[in-house]
């Protein structure tokens, strides 16, 4: 029950700093690159939710501003260079240009492009933060030692959703799967998480995308859902957020619709306001004139991870920062009620997952009672024994 | 456990249970006034929006309230509950400290990365000092010469010289520092770090680290042990530390820096205030919306008092 630490960690140096870094001869330069490969426009039914042009980038800018304030007291000078490529752009060429100037890179791109970036000899010594891609392979067999992930993996979110269902005893799920490959991958993640937590998929159906559901949902969705066995919720695997919104309130029996609409697990949402989150939300909306989205949060977190590591180590080179970030000493306060840190087996950032509806947070996973030998946050996503990643050593 | 401490207190005269505890209710825009003798809420007083920090002047004739969402510090007559006037506070005042001269109020402006100094007599802003992101904890040294602002996202204690109103030094602490106090006649500065889960102790003479106190409660994951407010006994030997969502208050020996006990209180415990005779400690429990009364001599909670929604700050009125 008793515990006392007196400067036990090697990092806990008693750093007293003269103001404005007056004692430091030259400010430490911390240069970060943001490399984005834009996605082709999504063809979706609803025109309501547009994708902001500065998605992700605005989050990095806020993280830069947060770091810069701390930097003024530390004698650390932060800079952010942003490169955004049109869909199909040459990531490798852009990365080569960037590599000479920065060795800290926020990568906002799909998994293919990210791997082509990470495997470039020019950036072998760089530290790359994946701020956008959720796919399992990057945390599994296709992990890379020079890539850390502040984007959540899909399984972290599907696990969070299943924890909420289990806590509510809503354990009979009807699953509707969209027609795309990404929908199939999302459905697979839901199925795996359901197995992990003992939630049952009692019925499933495929949605085909030929009709305009904005006009026909009230006719078509009851038919689609009429044959479902007795179920507590309807879970929709709709990766592009295309048709799920038209399923809600159109089902044959009145059931909550969950997944990307209704009740949804996210890295961040406008309804997150506890743990000082309201401050982050207001700083972000002051800067970007819109709500903070999950990709913005991942980019903000990556910048703050860099800032925290630079502050504690007084270093700016990628290898020193990587070692500190992956050490037990690292923790980031990130407005989610628990310190964030990184998994030493695949470089994934641990974070709570808010499970939200449009107006409120319903729960923040890990929920009470979901334990883990290492850290309750590791009840979400790919755990050490499941991951085939070996790039990080043991 | 607390035997030495308890024995010492037992030698004192029996408690004279008079006075009030004033609690700000962040989500009700009210203050709950608790009678220390009856342990009941006797008054509920409306305030500006989102009241958080609360403090009395030295003769307790005025009470100052940070009305965060009203962007004002309100000055209230504690007898009538009437708001006498607002002070200019800068945006989003969260926490403050009144200098020993009763004249200068030092305010942390959470949204603006600024510490604002207000002259409470002329009601004017005297100075604004740029500090780190999300300033919160405020402390003033007993000689009035140094004010501390802690900034939650920058993870620093800023040492501000009160004469020149400039930052003299910055010390890094663990993640998300929330509260600071000078103790032992101002020779030590204690700073709690909510996400870091520690309390750092510095020597004020040279800002050197003296100790770092960590906490461990059986059955509670360390990530949920989040130190926030703390209060010091008059003999400066014992410090009670509120541990947030672990729902416990730690009893820390200020001489050995060891944790001696953990007391169960309400949910997400924030701040605390002693009864005037220091035999009772009142904790604000944000999530459960109540106040736990701790018998300091016995070292145990004795009562829970329902107050408003999200009680935050606490202050004593003799």
């Amino acid at each position: 029950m008793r515990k006392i630490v007196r400067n036990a960690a090697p990092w806990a140096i008693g750093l007293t700093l003269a103001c404005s870094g007056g004692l430091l001869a030259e400010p430490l330069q911390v240069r970060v690159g943001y490399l984005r490969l834009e996605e082709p426009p999504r063809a979706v039914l609803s025109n309501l939710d547009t994708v902001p042009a500065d998605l992700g980038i605005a989050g990095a800018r806020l993280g830069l501003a947060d770091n810069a304030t701390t930097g003024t007291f530390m004698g650390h000078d932060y800079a952010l260079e942003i490169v955004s490529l049109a869909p199909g752009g040459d990531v490798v060429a852009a990365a080569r240009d960037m590599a000479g100037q920065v060795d800290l890179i926020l990568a906002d791109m799909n998994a293919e492009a990210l791997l082509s970036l990470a495997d470039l000899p020019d950036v072998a010594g760089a530290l790359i933060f994946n701020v956008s891609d959720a796919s399992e392979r990057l945390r599994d067999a296709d992990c890379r030692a020079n890539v850390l992930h502040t984007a959540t993996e899909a399984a972290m979110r599907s696990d969070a959703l299943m924890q909420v269902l289990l806590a509510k005893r809503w354990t009979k799920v009807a699953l509707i799967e969209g027609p795309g490959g990404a929908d199939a991958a999302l459905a697979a993640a839901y199925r795996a998480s359901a197995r992990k937590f003992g939630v049952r998929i009692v019925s499933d159906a495929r949605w085909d995308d030929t009709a305009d559901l904005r006009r026909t949902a009230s006719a078509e969705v009851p038919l689609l859902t009429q044959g479902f066995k007795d179920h507590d919720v309807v879970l929709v695997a709709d990766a592009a957020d295309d048709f799920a919104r038209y399923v809600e309130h159109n089902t044959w029996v009145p059931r909550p619709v969950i997944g990307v609409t209704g009740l949804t697990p996210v890295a961040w949402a406008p309804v997150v306001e506890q743990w000082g989150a309201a401050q982050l939300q207001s700083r972000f909306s002051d800067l970007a004139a819109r709500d903070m989205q999950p990709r913005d949060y991942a980019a903000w977190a990556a910048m703050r991870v860099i800032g925290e590591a630079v502050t504690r180590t007084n270093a700016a080179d990628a290898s020193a920062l990587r070692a500190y970030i992956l050490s037990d000493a690292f923790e980031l306060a990130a407005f989610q009620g628990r310190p964030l840190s990184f998994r030493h087996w695949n470089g994934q950032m641990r974070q709570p997952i808010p499970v939200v509806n449009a107006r409120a947070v319903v729960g923040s996973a890990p929920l009470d009672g979901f334990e883990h030998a290492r850290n309750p946050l590791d009840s979400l996503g790919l755990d050490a024994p499941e991951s085939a990643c070996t790039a990080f050593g043991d | 456990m607390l035997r030495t401490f308890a024995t010492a207190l037992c030698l004192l005269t029996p408690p004279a249970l008079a006075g009030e505890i004033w609690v700000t209710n962040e989500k009700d825009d009210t203050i709950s006034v608790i009678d220390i003798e009856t342990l009941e809420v006797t008054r509920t007083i409306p305030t500006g929006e989102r009241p958080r920090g609360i403090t009395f002047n030295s003769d307790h004739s005025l009470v100052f309230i940070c009305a965060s969402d009203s962007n004002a510090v309100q000055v209230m007559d504690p007898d009538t509950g009437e708001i006498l006037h607002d002070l200019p506070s800068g945006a989003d005042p969260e926490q403050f400290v009144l200098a020993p001269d009763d004249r200068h109020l030092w305010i942390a402006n959470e949204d603006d990365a600024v510490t604002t100094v207000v002259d409470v007599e002329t009601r004017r802003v005297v100075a604004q000092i740029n500090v780190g992101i999300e300033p919160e904890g405020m402390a003033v040294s007993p000689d009035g010469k140094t004010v501390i602002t802690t900034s939650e996202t920058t993870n620093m204690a800023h040492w501000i010289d009160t004469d020149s109103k400039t930052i003299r030094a910055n010390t890094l602490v663990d993640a998300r520092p929330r509260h600071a106090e000078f103790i032992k006649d101002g020779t030590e500065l204690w700073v709690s770090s909510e996400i870091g889960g520690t309390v750092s102790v510095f020597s004020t003479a040279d800002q050197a680290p003296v100790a770092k106190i960590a906490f461990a409660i059986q059955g509670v994951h360390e990530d949920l042990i989040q130190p926030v407010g703390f209060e010091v006994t008059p003999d400066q030997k014992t410090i009670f530390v509120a541990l947030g969502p672990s729902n416990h208050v730690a009893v820390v020996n200020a001489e050995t820096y060891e944790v001696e006990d953990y007391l169960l209180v309400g949910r997400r415990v924030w701040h605390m205030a002693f009864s005037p005779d220091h035999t009772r400690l009142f904790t604000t429990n944000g999530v459960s919306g109540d106040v736990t009364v701790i018998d300091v001599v016995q070292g145990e909670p004795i009562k829970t008092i329902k107050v408003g929604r999200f009680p935050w700050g606490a202050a004593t009125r003799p």
Side-chain angles (χ1 to χ4, degrees):
Chain A
M1 295 272 284
R2 296 179 185 187
K3 201 170 152 195
I4 179 165
V5 183
R6 287 184 201 234
N7 298 332
W11 318 104
I13 34 177
L15 219 48
T16 301
L17 309 139
C19 66
S20 316
L23 287 181
L24 296 170
E26 280 197 15
L28 183 67
Q29 302 288 333
V30 188
R31 298 175 62 87
V32 181
Y34 191 106
L35 181 52
R36 177 169 78 169
L37 177 62
E38 293 164 22
E39 290 158 17
R42 301 176 305 159
V44 294
L45 292 166
S46 168
N47 301 316
L48 296 175
D49 300 322
T50 53
V51 178
D54 62 353
L55 181 64
I57 290 170
R61 286 202 170 112
L62 182 63
L64 174 74
D66 285 1
N67 289 350
T69 302
T70 305
T72 59
F73 300 108
M74 300 289 302
H76 297 161
D77 195 8
Y78 292 87
L80 178 66
E81 183 193 341
I82 297 163
V83 176
S84 189
L85 306 172
D90 190 344
V91 167
V92 167
R96 285 207 177 104
D97 287 346
M98 198 174 254
Q101 304 151 50
V102 302
D103 62 358
L104 300 166
I105 299 173
L106 275 51
D108 178 351
M109 57 191 67
N110 61 53
E112 280 312 322
L114 180 63
L115 289 174
S116 70
L117 167 65
D119 291 340
L120 263 184
D122 308 57
V123 297
L127 186 57
I128 299 166
F129 291 85
N130 166 25
V131 301
S132 63
D133 193 275
S135 55
E136 181 176 288
R137 55 184 284 216
L138 293 178
R139 287 87 172 164
D140 200 33
D142 284 340
C143 71
R144 295 292 185 271
N146 58 349
V147 179
L148 303 177
H149 311 273
T150 57
T152 52
E153 62 179 303
M156 288 167 69
R157 281 177 274 122
S158 55
D159 283 352
L161 186 61
M162 294 305 160
Q163 285 192 3
V164 169
L165 294 185
L166 188 58
K168 295 182 185 304
R169 305 282 187 269
W170 296 351
T171 53
K172 289 177 290 183
V173 173
L175 178 67
I176 300 176
E177 187 179 324
D183 297 331
L186 184 56
Y190 286 144
R191 288 177 197 281
S193 294
R195 261 196 312 279
K196 178 172 171 180
F197 290 102
V199 169
R200 283 194 301 135
I201 312 277
V202 294
S203 291
D204 51 15
R206 296 275 302 215
W207 177 253
D208 78 64
D209 58 349
T210 50
D212 183 352
L213 272 186
R214 291 178 300 177
R215 293 179 175 80
T216 60
S218 62
E220 303 220 12
V221 176
L223 290 176
L224 181 76
T225 56
Q226 188 175 12
F228 285 157
K229 292 181 189 155
D230 180 36
H231 58 284
D232 298 315
V233 292
V234 176
L235 172 60
V236 186
D238 173 19
D241 192 9
D242 180 22
F243 64 94
R245 69 180 74 203
Y246 305 107
V247 177
E248 191 167 24
H249 306 141
N250 281 313
T251 50
W252 179 253
V253 287
R255 293 291 179 269
V257 174
I258 66 172
V260 294
T261 194
L263 183 68
T264 176
V266 285
W268 189 255
V271 295
V272 177
E273 55 177 341
Q274 284 184 52
W275 310 110
Q279 271 93 251
L280 183 64
Q281 305 275 22
S282 73
R283 282 210 300 284
F284 184 87
S285 59
D286 287 350
L287 178 131
R290 61 176 177 83
D291 287 336
M292 191 175 200
Q293 297 194 16
R295 193 169 306 181
D296 299 307
Y297 183 80
W300 171 83
M303 287 299 287
R304 287 291 301 121
V305 166
I306 292 168
E308 181 66 14
V310 170
T311 301
R312 301 290 173 184
T313 61
N314 211 27
D317 67 289
S319 65
L321 297 181
R322 182 182 181 277
Y324 179 73
I325 290 164
L326 288 170
S327 76
D328 288 343
F330 180 85
E331 58 185 8
L332 182 70
F335 307 98
Q336 300 254 25
R338 291 172 185 262
L340 310 193
S341 56
F342 283 82
R343 292 180 178 151
H344 63 79
W345 59 91
N346 64 3
Q348 172 66 47
M349 186 173 77
R350 296 184 176 95
Q351 71 157 82
I353 301 291
V355 180
V356 306
N357 62 33
R359 304 291 305 281
V361 174
V362 174
S364 177
L367 300 183
D368 283 349
F370 290 89
E371 300 296 341
H372 187 281
R374 189 180 295 102
N375 182 327
L377 290 171
D378 290 338
S379 66
L380 306 170
L382 211 56
D383 201 355
E386 300 156 349
S387 172
C389 177
T390 55
F392 288 77
D394 285 335
Chain B
M1 212 177 70
L2 274 181
R3 192 157 298 121
T4 327
F5 180 54
T7 313
L9 270 182
C10 288
L11 298 174
L12 302 174
T13 46
L17 294 176
E20 295 171 338
I21 300 294
W22 286 48
V23 171
T24 52
N25 299 308
E26 184 182 345
K27 296 288 179 193
D28 266 354
D29 302 347
T30 58
I31 287 169
S32 298
V33 179
I34 296 168
D35 182 290
I36 290 173
E37 189 173 0
T38 63
L39 300 183
E40 280 173 8
V41 174
T42 53
R43 278 195 287 171
T44 301
I45 304 170
T47 65
E49 292 177 57
R50 202 177 179 203
R52 289 193 280 180
I54 179 167
T55 193
F56 286 87
N57 63 352
S58 50
D59 68 3
H60 297 85
S61 59
L62 295 173
V63 58
F64 299 90
I65 303 141
C66 281
S68 299
D69 285 358
S70 300
N71 295 320
V73 167
Q74 299 187 307
V75 185
M76 183 185 281
D77 177 339
D79 288 330
T80 63
E82 186 190 342
I83 303 284
L84 302 173
H85 54 265
D86 287 357
L87 293 173
S89 67
D92 195 22
E94 175 163 12
Q95 187 59 293
F96 51 21
V97 66
L98 188 61
D101 64 5
D102 258 0
R103 174 112 193 222
H104 291 109
L105 196 59
W106 293 71
I107 304 165
N109 297 116
E110 187 172 34
D111 257 4
D112 265 7
V114 161
T115 295
T116 298
V117 191
V118 174
D119 182 326
V120 301
E121 286 176 18
T122 65
R123 302 178 199 172
R124 285 178 190 282
V125 172
V126 178
Q128 288 200 309
I129 299 136
N130 289 327
V131 293
I133 304 275
E134 291 170 49
E136 166 144 351
M138 297 294 301
V140 62
S141 61
D143 62 8
K145 288 183 175 166
T146 305
V147 160
I148 300 292
T149 298
T150 66
S151 43
E152 291 171 332
T153 291
T154 298
N155 300 326
M156 276 181 188
H158 307 285
W159 304 64
I160 303 171
D161 183 277
T162 54
D163 285 334
S164 67
K165 300 186 176 56
T166 55
I167 293 177
R168 173 154 53 84
N170 301 289
T171 38
L172 278 174
V173 293
D174 286 342
R176 209 166 167 78
R178 296 302 290 253
H179 189 74
E181 292 276 351
F182 285 92
I183 73 157
K184 300 182 187 171
D185 302 322
T187 59
E188 285 184 0
L189 177 74
W190 289 45
V191 179
S192 63
S193 293
E194 182 182 34
I195 290 293
T198 57
V199 172
S200 291
V201 182
F202 296 96
S203 154
T204 47
D206 55 0
Q207 297 100 39
V210 174
K212 193 186 278 188
I213 300 156
F215 305 89
I217 304 170
Q218 197 165 12
V220 180
H221 191 269
E222 60 179 354
D223 285 358
L224 296 182
I225 302 176
Q226 301 180 356
V228 197
F230 53 90
E231 288 293 323
V232 190
T233 54
D235 63 6
Q236 309 276 298
K237 286 183 178 165
T238 308
I239 303 203
F240 291 85
V241 184
L243 296 176
S246 72
N247 310 333
H248 281 77
V249 169
V251 184
V252 178
N253 183 320
E255 291 173 331
T256 63
Y257 309 109
E258 299 242 12
V259 182
E260 299 190 327
D261 201 4
Y262 295 95
L263 311 175
L264 182 64
V265 295
R267 294 180 62 201
R268 199 172 180 196
V269 54
W270 276 108
H271 286 288
M272 296 173 289
F274 281 110
S275 60
D277 64 0
H278 293 84
T279 59
R280 299 274 189 273
L281 182 67
F282 296 77
T283 75
T284 58
N285 310 318
V287 172
S288 49
D290 50 31
V291 164
T292 303
V293 186
I294 292 171
D295 180 325
V296 174
V297 180
Q298 300 298 323
E300 61 186 32
I302 55 171
K303 190 176 179 189
T304 301
I305 303 166
K306 189 72 191 159
V307 291
R309 292 190 298 177
F310 233 83
W312 197 95
T316 311
R317 185 188 182 211

